[in-house]
Amino acid sequence: MPGNGVDSIIKLLCLALLEPGDELAMAWPSFISWRQGAGVMGATLRTAPLAADGSYDLDALLELVGPATKMVVVVSPNNPTGAAVGAAALERFIDALPDHVLPVLDEAYFEYLPAGSHDGVALMRSGRRLAVTRTFSKAFGLAGLRVGYMVAPPELVRMLGAVRNAFDVNAVAQAAAVASLSQSDELLPPRMAEIASERHMVSSGLRALGLEPMPSTANFVLVPVGSADRAEALNQALLRRGIIVRPAGPFGAPDAIRITIGLAQENAEMLVAMAGALGEVGALPGAR
Ligand SMILES: *Cc1c(COP(=O)(O)O)cnc(C)c1O
């Protein structure tokens, strides 16, 4: 089922499935729209902590599941941390869920995953019941056109069809999505390889400045900087130098900033700006 971005599919899933008294379980820090979707419906949000690498701790998440749980969301790679759950662990997790719970796998960053990682659509083909969301906003760079999709069992697609707007994804976005899919074999491998090598460059550059970026398979790294005040001060100091990063407070990580991997030249400029910003804001507590 296509949607006006995965963001709108998240809202539709919550609208179709949740009512007050129901629970949505996910990990936190993670993607804000799931939290908002549960809140809008008056459902209860249950959150598990992340694993040390920033991926979903599936054992901790499973412990939250009870009779009132309607939906359990796994964002992998997680946003804002960038780490993914293991394929085998994810399979075991889905198989361990009781029948009254819908597992939703948010694979917004699916295309960035290395070979051998999880593949929600393949899991569905293997007969497992789950919903998978993917988007053209990230690897394909079409965020401004607003187009994503859900792959799910027919009865769930019908339920969302009953609550969605009759006119949803615009014609330009549909054309761009179809063109992207038809060219993905040529477009994506070099793009993903470049992101991976630039992410490596950015991470080692940040480590050389005394920071500790978290491991990521996506097109960003999350950098804990000690405190919320320091995150905001660094954000401001970087803005003054023409660099926009994302303070991660809304994602549940107020002491961190998320840095998008850009082109080589942009990444080099970011590292120079970061050195200046750190000099301005002061050394980090606990920096090595
Ligand atoms: C970006 C993102 C979305 C929303 O994607 P759109 O298709 O742009 O609405 C959903 N989930 C995660 C984890 C994301 O990072």
Side-chain angles (χ1 to χ4, degrees), residues 5-7 10 31 34 75 79 106 108-109 135 137-138 146-148:
V6 167
D7 231 35
I10 292 171
F31 194 63
W34 294 105
V75 181
N79 185 359
D106 185 344
Y109 293 92
T135 181
S137 294
K138 309 291 162 65
R146 312 303 308 130
V147 53

Side-chain angles (χ1 to χ4, degrees), residues 6 14 17 33 44-46 84 101 105 107 114 121 125 127 130 142 147 161 173 183 194 197 212 222 235:
V6 167
C14 292
L17 296 183
S33 298
T44 303
L45 181 80
R46 307 281 313 271
V101 179
L105 179 61
E107 286 185 333
V121 175
R125 291 207 174 105
L130 73 155
L142 300 183
V147 53
Q183 292 171 45
E194 185 182 352
S197 102
E212 290 191 43
L222 188 73
N235 180 42

Side-chain angles (χ1 to χ4, degrees), residues 143-275:
L145 284 182
R146 312 303 308 130
V147 53
Y149 58 98
M150 175 182 78
V151 185
E155 69 270 19
L156 188 65
V157 172
R158 275 194 295 274
M159 283 172 80
L160 265 65
V163 291
R164 73 188 300 189
N165 290 334
F167 309 106
D168 193 37
V169 185
N170 71 75
V172 179
Q174 289 185 47
V178 170
S180 295
L181 283 180
S182 72
Q183 292 171 45
S184 59
D185 288 349
E186 306 96 76
L187 274 179
L188 290 184
R191 199 180 282 179
M192 297 304 111
E194 185 182 352
I195 292 280
S197 102
E198 283 300 312
R199 189 179 58 229
H200 185 73
M201 208 280 299
V202 164
S203 296
S204 31
L206 292 170
R207 276 193 291 272
L209 294 172
L211 297 167
E212 290 191 43
M214 301 199 52
S216 172
T217 58
N219 64 335
F220 54 79
V221 288
L222 188 73
V223 189
V225 296
S227 71
D229 285 350
R230 195 171 295 275
E232 190 43 37
L234 273 177
N235 180 42
Q236 293 300 328
L238 288 167
L239 279 176
R240 283 193 292 279
R241 289 166 171 80
I243 302 290
I244 302 175
V245 299
R246 186 81 154 93
F251 297 81
D255 64 342
I257 55 175
R258 195 192 62 187
I259 303 177
T260 297
I261 307 301
L263 302 172
Q265 175 67 24
E266 296 166 337
N267 297 332
E269 285 174 26
M270 183 279 294
L271 287 171
V272 170
M274 181 62 85

